[in-house]
Amino acid sequence: MSGGAMGKVGTVGSGMAGSGTPDVGAKRGGAPASHRPLGILAALPQELGDLIEAMRAESGVRTITHGQRDYHLGTVHGAPCVVTLARVGKVAAAATVSALIHAFDVDAVVFTGVAGGLGNDVRVGDIVIADALLQHDLDASPLFPRFEVPLLGVSRFAADAALADRLAAACERFVAEEGVASAARFGTREPRVHRGLIVSGDQFVASAAGVNALRVALPDALAVEMEGAAIAQVCHEYGVPCAVVRTISDTADDHAPESFVSFLTEIAGAYSNAILTRFLDARNAQV
Ligand code: SAH
């Protein structure tokens, strides 16, 4: 790492949070493209699986605390990464990804986590990769069209196609290699991989009425969550490629709270490990 952002704090090989302050003013684009890290984030710790432990075993971890979040720097599956937790909601996600871009000079961002299924054929245990993301609770009408970000003129933020393709390939490999075993282990059907629209808002959707309202307003939405479109907006504004992969933990209906909690505690980490391992190995092989 040659960037000033990386040069200050060292707790290599330790899980302790560092106490230093990253150089927020570090100039972007200073390091050669291939040396800039990938930003990997999730909302909740279970959604990262064993990623930080894998990083600790491979390269040691340097942890920098910034804006009440711990940013873990190191190499995992051969790829230099900054791994962090955004916590829940659009503001939390936007603040965190902004720090990844400005203080840690990431060259791309991948978000991994769980979501509620909205699409007709999207079931618990399936995987959705975003082609586009939209904020379903954003409505400045009649001044601007519903869902459009005022003064930006965009409602659907495109995920980076190459990054999304690579995530999809990793998911397809996971399903081909472990889908049957995963279904038997977790009592789901064999996972299917979907691509399309993911919608985000500052609500945990947990009612038939909530699902129906989203289906009527946004018939092509496959999944609902609380962070992805905020990350996509910030990445769009800064020209940083991003991709979002979500495992379906619930179907956003009356059963969503129990389904979400049991999926998060028992299954989410296994999916993240399976997907990220394959994604990072392939990414590393390319460099
Ligand atoms: N403090 C709670 C909050 C979880 S909110 C907890 O830790 O248990 C739900 C999280 O999972 C959010 O990060 C959101 O992105 C995702 N999610 C899963 N199912 C969802 C649904 N039905 N509606 C909205 N977000 C959902």
Side-chain angles (χ1 to χ4, degrees), residues 42-47 87-89 111 113-118 136 199-207 211 214 223-228 246-253 256-257 260-261 264:
L44 303 165
Q46 297 88 338
E47 294 172 316
R87 303 207 286 259
V88 176
F111 190 103
V114 301
L118 290 179
H136 69 77
V199 299
S200 313
D202 286 319
Q203 294 151 11
F204 182 74
V205 180
S207 69
V211 171
L214 287 172
V224 59
E225 37 87 312
M226 302 177 69
E227 299 83 18
R246 294 279 185 172
T247 305
I248 300 304
S249 57
D250 59 88
T251 42
D253 53 13
F260 165 78
V261 170
L264 186 71

Side-chain angles (χ1 to χ4, degrees), residues 24-82:
V24 179
K27 201 163 149 253
R28 293 197 59 215
S34 60
H35 293 168
R36 289 169 59 205
L38 172 71
I40 301 182
L41 72 168
L44 303 165
Q46 297 88 338
E47 294 172 316
L48 280 180
D50 300 328
L51 194 65
I52 296 167
E53 288 72 17
M55 180 187 268
R56 183 165 297 128
E58 188 170 329
S59 68
V61 176
R62 182 160 53 153
T63 299
I64 295 176
T65 303
H66 178 57
Q68 299 189 16
R69 278 154 184 78
D70 289 341
Y71 294 82
H72 303 285
L73 284 65
T75 298
V76 60
H77 299 290
C81 293
V82 184

Side-chain angles (χ1 to χ4, degrees), residues 141-183:
S141 62
L143 302 176
F144 297 91
R146 187 177 177 194
F147 307 125
E148 185 173 300
V149 178
L151 310 181
L152 192 59
V154 180
S155 54
R156 292 176 182 235
F157 294 91
D160 182 75
L163 215 48
D165 283 351
R166 296 218 298 271
L167 269 178
C171 293
E172 295 289 1
R173 274 201 304 282
F174 158 55
V175 172
E177 290 164 13
E178 291 179 18
V180 173
S182 166

Side-chain angles (χ1 to χ4, degrees), residues 8 30 38 45-46 71 75 83 88 101-102 108 124 134 147 155 159 172 206 222 239 241 254 256 274-275 280:
K8 292 207 166 167
L38 172 71
Q46 297 88 338
Y71 294 82
T75 298
V83 179
V88 176
I101 293 168
H102 290 108
V124 171
L134 169 150
F147 307 125
S155 54
E172 295 289 1
L222 297 180
D254 301 348
I275 296 166
L280 291 169

